Amino acid sequence: MKNLVEKLEKLKNLIKEKEKLIISFSGGVDSSLVAKLAFDMLGGNSLAVTIDSPVFPRRELENAKKIAEEIGIRHKIIKESSLGKKFLLNPKNRCYYCKKEEAEILLSLARELGYKYVADGVNISDFSDYRPGIAAVNEANFFHPLVEANISRKEVRLLAKKLGLSNYDMPSTTCLASRIPYDEKITYNKLTMIERAEDFLFSLSFKQVRVRYNNKNAIIEVYPEEINKIFVNRDEIVRVLKRIGFSKFILLNFPVTGVILNSQVERVSIDGGAITSNLANRVMVLVDKSVYEGIKNELDRFSTDLSKEGWICEIYPKKIGCPGWDDPEDVKKFIVSHSSDLAGCILVGNIPMPEYRVEKGYMNQPETFPCDFYYMDLDGKWEVYDKGGNSFGYYYTVFCNHTNGNGSKAPEIWVGRISPSSWIGDNVSLLKEYFKRNHAYRTGSLCRASRALLYIDDDWAKYGSEYKRYLENIYKSSLITVINDPEKTREKNYLNNIKKEKYEWICLHAHSSQLQHNFYYSDHTKWDSLTSWELRKNYKSAFFYDLHCCEALDYFQEECIGNLYLFGNTSGLTVIGSSKVGGMIDNGKTFYEKLKSAACIGDAFGEWYSLKGVKYPSYCYGMMVLGDPTLKPKKDEKPPSVEITFPKKGYLYIFGREICPLSTGKTILIGSCILVVEADDINDIGRVDFYVNEELRFTLKSKPYQLDLKNYSTGWYDIRVVASDKFGNSNNDHIRLLLINF
């Protein structure tokens, strides 16, 4: 808080130095803070100016008037009814052309009224985003007081609250043009349709709403907790949107995290009054009651986490031994009876295991194996081959001859099983730990670098390049490690790779059984065996495992190696693989292609089954998911950390030696010194750019990140450093200093 107070004082001094100031004023919290301090420091020598253009909603214009009146500052509104031709073409840098025109208007007004400076509300957080409009105002030499005071978006809100601004917690707003996809021409009619639709929805008391225009479809974005308002008012919404000119609307969670999930989409057609809805965002969690009481708190938190992401989570604790719950057929009837809008089902604890029999399986011999695909297909026909039970309370049902029945063989939902093995540890404790790390992953406190390991033993080694291309659907090529040298793929080499906290995703191709992996020598005369017991001793760090390993997910076996990846370490979240000899018939090609755009692993897995798995029962019907299918590797959108650690801002230095802080808040260097920058990122820093007076001087791609000032002449310098990671995320720090060199 002390640092924030110092920044506020610096901000006041920066504004006071300008003597007369025009503020580009939208009524948002950033420009409101600048306007408030300008009025406090300069009084009548401050002027807030709002450009009233077709992309500026009327409701925001009224808000700007209200906030200006609240501050007490003089407020001028300039009507601009036309938009430039380049802007209307809607290129990716459209904001540049818009801001350029606005800057010219404001500079012309400043010259007319005798003002030297025009300020705006750009803050340091804006530089971590794609903001082409900033280039336009920089060309116009706008004054960025929040940047010069090193104030972030979060700090803006804290200061606005401290100064009593009523809009301190106002949601961020963007212009109406941002609702139209790049390269689709902007028209005045489209802007009017968007504004009318948003005004109507705001009249229904939504906290935040955006309507995006896409081929006459209205894509409505609202916060997850307000989705029910859409359903309550759906008929009226359909009627009004149709009257405005839209053909249908698509409902999405407001992308608070920047991620929009396909499974959160409702499509409602507006066609002659007929409404069709296809919302599949319900998740059913079936819990063995023998573990339910012990993990109830974790399940409640899991349900809350899912709801924040737009899922509707329903938990059903059931006691094994109760009628209608021991037999897979009855479990499936229960799922079918609750299948309206169902996206998937998660089985927690000892939920009955369906089995499937093929007469010509491995080596053309009959095979019987666990088959959770039975629960995924809700309308196909499955013949019962055998069923029974014993005195120990174990009931089994074996199915065969899967056909379309009255529906199809394709799955309607996905299924994931979270069922620990007692040989690893106490079931309740293992489940508590699993849901604890699931929560940590969703909330960001458990994270890894976005790296993948593709480990391929001898028989598939020649396909390394092809398999890597599959993984490139979700990981950058440079972040995928491929190990497929037949002379290296051994037990110890694999262990050495997975023991390190290095990978988020591991894809393994190796001969296996329920209890071990077998790594062949290049001459195929012998192999190294890695047993589940040996694997248990070694720390495994990945979150996600794709095991192209026969029988690895046969969870009926107490020492199932797939379950070990899920529960035998501190990171496992989801494991994909087969309970039988076989696997993904296309070695994951379709799955990874679908995962690129799917909402979650479950959706991609279900699509793979529909397109590939159902065609090859004897090879693919053992494929299943252990763990949580609602997850998916997160796209790295977190900017790196970057800080100019030397010199300190607001201090006096003589030949690199710190003398004292300066009451003026200025940074003064007498004699040369080396400017030092610290930058870090979970996925490593890709580059650090050094800008001196907004001119890129040089780029460093490795530590140390330093700028030697010995060859710079005496004068004032604005130095900005921009750190970027390998995903294009960037962050920056800035210092303005006076250098007196000899």
Coordinates of all heavy atoms in Angstrom, one line a residue, residues 126-166:
D126 N -1.9 -2.3 -20.3 CA -2.3 -2.3 -21.7 C -1.2 -2.8 -22.6 O -1.5 -3.3 -23.7 CB -2.7 -0.9 -22.1 CG -4.0 -0.5 -21.4 OD1 -4.9 -1.3 -21.2 OD2 -4.1 0.7 -21.1
F127 N 0.0 -2.7 -22.2 CA 1.1 -3.1 -23.1 C 1.3 -4.6 -23.2 O 2.0 -5.1 -24.0 CB 2.4 -2.5 -22.6 CG 2.5 -1.0 -22.8 CD1 2.3 -0.1 -21.8 CD2 2.7 -0.4 -24.1 CE1 2.3 1.3 -22.0 CE2 2.8 0.9 -24.3 CZ 2.5 1.8 -23.2
S128 N 0.6 -5.3 -22.3 CA 0.7 -6.8 -22.3 C -0.4 -7.4 -23.2 O -0.5 -8.6 -23.4 CB 0.5 -7.4 -20.9 OG -0.7 -7.1 -20.4
D129 N -1.2 -6.5 -23.9 CA -2.3 -6.9 -24.7 C -2.0 -6.4 -26.1 O -1.1 -5.5 -26.3 CB -3.6 -6.4 -24.2 CG -4.8 -7.2 -24.8 OD1 -4.6 -8.0 -25.7 OD2 -5.9 -6.9 -24.4
Y130 N -2.7 -6.8 -27.1 CA -2.6 -6.3 -28.5 C -3.4 -5.0 -28.6 O -4.7 -5.1 -28.6 CB -3.1 -7.3 -29.5 CG -3.0 -6.8 -30.9 CD1 -1.8 -6.6 -31.5 CD2 -4.2 -6.6 -31.7 CE1 -1.8 -6.1 -32.8 CE2 -4.2 -6.2 -33.0 CZ -2.9 -5.9 -33.5 OH -2.9 -5.5 -34.8
R131 N -2.8 -3.9 -28.6 CA -3.4 -2.6 -28.6 C -2.8 -1.7 -29.7 O -2.0 -0.8 -29.4 CB -3.3 -1.9 -27.2 CG -3.9 -2.6 -26.1 CD -5.4 -2.6 -26.1 NE -6.0 -3.3 -25.0 CZ -6.5 -2.7 -23.9 NH1 -6.3 -1.4 -23.8 NH2 -7.0 -3.5 -23.0
P132 N -3.2 -1.9 -31.0 CA -2.6 -1.1 -32.0 C -3.0 0.4 -31.9 O -2.3 1.2 -32.5 CB -3.2 -1.7 -33.3 CG -4.5 -2.4 -32.8 CD -4.1 -2.9 -31.5
G133 N -4.0 0.7 -31.2 CA -4.4 2.1 -31.0 C -3.4 2.9 -30.2 O -3.2 4.1 -30.4
I134 N -2.6 2.2 -29.4 CA -1.5 2.9 -28.6 C -0.5 3.5 -29.6 O 0.0 4.6 -29.3 CB -0.9 2.0 -27.6 CG1 -2.0 1.6 -26.5 CG2 0.3 2.6 -26.9 CD1 -1.5 0.6 -25.5
A135 N -0.2 2.8 -30.7 CA 0.8 3.3 -31.6 C 0.3 4.7 -32.2 O 1.2 5.6 -32.4 CB 1.0 2.3 -32.7
A136 N -1.0 4.8 -32.4 CA -1.5 6.0 -33.0 C -1.3 7.2 -32.0 O -0.9 8.3 -32.4 CB -2.9 5.8 -33.4
V137 N -1.7 7.0 -30.8 CA -1.6 8.1 -29.8 C -0.1 8.4 -29.4 O 0.2 9.5 -29.1 CB -2.4 7.8 -28.5 CG1 -3.9 7.8 -28.9 CG2 -2.0 6.5 -27.8
N138 N 0.7 7.4 -29.6 CA 2.2 7.6 -29.4 C 2.7 8.5 -30.5 O 3.5 9.4 -30.2 CB 3.0 6.3 -29.3 CG 2.8 5.6 -28.0 OD1 2.4 6.2 -27.0 ND2 3.2 4.3 -28.0
E139 N 2.3 8.3 -31.7 CA 2.7 9.1 -32.8 C 2.2 10.6 -32.6 O 2.9 11.5 -33.1 CB 2.1 8.6 -34.1 CG 2.7 7.3 -34.6 CD 2.0 6.6 -35.7 OE1 1.0 7.2 -36.3 OE2 2.4 5.5 -36.2
A140 N 1.1 10.7 -31.9 CA 0.6 12.0 -31.6 C 1.2 12.7 -30.4 O 0.7 13.7 -30.0 CB -1.0 12.0 -31.5
N141 N 2.1 11.9 -29.7 CA 2.8 12.4 -28.5 C 1.8 12.7 -27.4 O 2.0 13.6 -26.6 CB 3.6 13.7 -28.8 CG 4.8 13.4 -29.7 OD1 5.5 12.4 -29.6 ND2 4.9 14.3 -30.7
F142 N 0.8 11.8 -27.2 CA -0.1 11.9 -26.1 C 0.7 11.6 -24.8 O 1.7 10.9 -24.8 CB -1.2 10.8 -26.2 CG -2.4 11.3 -27.0 CD1 -2.3 12.2 -28.0 CD2 -3.7 10.8 -26.7 CE1 -3.4 12.7 -28.7 CE2 -4.8 11.2 -27.4 CZ -4.6 12.2 -28.4
F143 N 0.2 12.2 -23.8 CA 0.8 12.0 -22.4 C 0.1 10.9 -21.7 O -1.1 10.9 -21.6 CB 0.6 13.4 -21.7 CG 0.9 13.3 -20.2 CD1 2.1 12.7 -19.7 CD2 0.1 13.9 -19.3 CE1 2.4 12.7 -18.4 CE2 0.4 13.9 -17.9 CZ 1.5 13.3 -17.5
H144 N 0.9 9.9 -21.3 CA 0.4 8.7 -20.6 C 0.7 8.8 -19.1 O 1.7 8.1 -18.7 CB 0.9 7.4 -21.2 CG 0.8 7.2 -22.6 ND1 -0.4 7.5 -23.3 CD2 1.7 6.8 -23.6 CE1 -0.2 7.3 -24.6 NE2 1.1 6.9 -24.8
P145 N 0.0 9.5 -18.3 CA 0.4 9.7 -16.9 C 0.5 8.4 -16.1 O 1.3 8.2 -15.3 CB -0.6 10.7 -16.4 CG -1.8 10.6 -17.3 CD -1.2 10.3 -18.6
L146 N -0.5 7.5 -16.4 CA -0.5 6.2 -15.6 C 0.7 5.4 -16.0 O 1.2 4.6 -15.1 CB -1.8 5.5 -16.0 CG -3.1 6.2 -15.6 CD1 -4.3 5.4 -16.1 CD2 -3.2 6.4 -14.1
V147 N 1.1 5.4 -17.2 CA 2.3 4.7 -17.6 C 3.6 5.2 -16.9 O 4.4 4.5 -16.4 CB 2.5 4.6 -19.1 CG1 3.8 4.0 -19.5 CG2 1.3 3.9 -19.8
E148 N 3.7 6.5 -17.0 CA 4.9 7.2 -16.4 C 4.9 7.0 -14.9 O 6.0 7.0 -14.3 CB 4.9 8.7 -16.7 CG 5.1 8.9 -18.2 CD 5.6 10.3 -18.5 OE1 6.1 11.0 -17.6 OE2 5.4 10.8 -19.6
A149 N 3.8 6.8 -14.2 CA 3.7 6.5 -12.8 C 3.8 5.0 -12.5 O 3.7 4.6 -11.4 CB 2.5 7.1 -12.2
N150 N 3.9 4.2 -13.6 CA 4.0 2.7 -13.5 C 2.8 2.1 -12.8 O 3.0 1.3 -11.9 CB 5.3 2.4 -12.7 CG 5.7 0.9 -13.0 OD1 5.6 0.4 -14.1 ND2 6.3 0.3 -12.0
I151 N 1.6 2.5 -13.2 CA 0.4 2.1 -12.6 C -0.3 1.0 -13.4 O -0.5 1.3 -14.6 CB -0.5 3.3 -12.3 CG1 0.1 4.2 -11.2 CG2 -1.9 2.8 -11.8 CD1 -0.6 5.5 -11.0
S152 N -0.7 -0.1 -12.8 CA -1.4 -1.2 -13.6 C -2.9 -1.0 -13.5 O -3.4 -0.1 -12.8 CB -1.0 -2.5 -12.9 OG -1.5 -2.6 -11.6
R153 N -3.6 -1.8 -14.3 CA -5.0 -1.8 -14.3 C -5.6 -2.0 -12.9 O -6.6 -1.4 -12.5 CB -5.5 -2.8 -15.3 CG -7.0 -2.8 -15.5 CD -7.5 -3.8 -16.6 NE -6.9 -3.4 -17.9 CZ -6.1 -4.1 -18.6 NH1 -5.7 -5.3 -18.2 NH2 -5.7 -3.7 -19.8
K154 N -5.1 -3.0 -12.2 CA -5.5 -3.3 -10.8 C -5.3 -2.1 -9.9 O -6.2 -1.7 -9.1 CB -4.8 -4.5 -10.3 CG -5.3 -4.9 -8.9 CD -4.5 -6.2 -8.4 CE -5.0 -6.6 -7.0 NZ -4.2 -7.8 -6.6
E155 N -4.2 -1.4 -10.0 CA -3.9 -0.3 -9.2 C -4.8 0.9 -9.5 O -5.1 1.7 -8.7 CB -2.4 0.1 -9.3 CG -1.5 -1.0 -8.7 CD 0.0 -0.7 -9.0 OE1 0.3 -0.3 -10.1 OE2 0.8 -1.0 -8.1
V156 N -5.2 1.0 -10.8 CA -6.1 2.1 -11.2 C -7.4 2.0 -10.4 O -7.9 2.9 -9.9 CB -6.4 2.0 -12.7 CG1 -7.6 2.9 -13.1 CG2 -5.2 2.5 -13.5
R157 N -7.9 0.7 -10.3 CA -9.2 0.5 -9.6 C -9.0 0.8 -8.1 O -9.9 1.4 -7.5 CB -9.7 -0.9 -9.8 CG -10.1 -1.2 -11.3 CD -10.8 -2.5 -11.4 NE -11.1 -2.7 -12.8 CZ -12.2 -2.3 -13.4 NH1 -13.1 -1.5 -12.7 NH2 -12.5 -2.5 -14.7
L158 N -7.9 0.4 -7.5 CA -7.7 0.7 -6.1 C -7.6 2.2 -5.9 O -8.2 2.7 -4.9 CB -6.4 0.1 -5.7 CG -6.4 -1.5 -5.6 CD1 -5.0 -2.0 -5.3 CD2 -7.3 -2.0 -4.5
L159 N -6.9 2.9 -6.7 CA -6.8 4.4 -6.6 C -8.2 5.1 -6.8 O -8.5 6.0 -6.1 CB -5.7 5.0 -7.5 CG -4.3 4.6 -7.2 CD1 -3.4 5.1 -8.3 CD2 -3.9 5.2 -5.9
A160 N -8.9 4.6 -7.8 CA -10.2 5.2 -8.1 C -11.1 5.0 -6.9 O -11.9 5.9 -6.6 CB -10.8 4.5 -9.3
K161 N -11.1 3.9 -6.3 CA -11.9 3.6 -5.1 C -11.4 4.5 -3.9 O -12.3 5.1 -3.2 CB -11.8 2.2 -4.6 CG -12.7 1.8 -3.5 CD -12.6 0.3 -3.1 CE -13.5 -0.1 -2.0 NZ -13.4 -1.5 -1.7
K162 N -10.1 4.7 -3.8 CA -9.6 5.5 -2.7 C -10.0 7.0 -2.9 O -10.3 7.7 -1.9 CB -8.0 5.4 -2.7 CG -7.3 6.3 -1.7 CD -5.8 6.1 -1.9 CE -5.1 7.1 -0.9 NZ -5.3 6.7 0.5
L163 N -10.1 7.4 -4.2 CA -10.5 8.8 -4.4 C -12.0 9.0 -4.5 O -12.4 10.1 -4.8 CB -9.8 9.3 -5.7 CG -8.3 9.3 -5.7 CD1 -7.7 9.7 -7.0 CD2 -7.8 10.3 -4.6
G164 N -12.8 8.0 -4.3 CA -14.2 8.1 -4.3 C -14.9 8.1 -5.6 O -16.1 8.5 -5.7
L165 N -14.3 7.6 -6.7 CA -15.0 7.5 -7.9 C -16.0 6.4 -7.9 O -15.7 5.3 -7.6 CB -14.0 7.3 -9.1 CG -13.1 8.5 -9.4 CD1 -12.0 8.1 -10.4 CD2 -13.9 9.6 -10.0
S166 N -17.2 6.7 -8.4 CA -18.3 5.7 -8.3 C -18.1 4.6 -9.3 O -18.7 3.5 -9.1 CB -19.6 6.4 -8.5 OG -19.7 7.0 -9.8

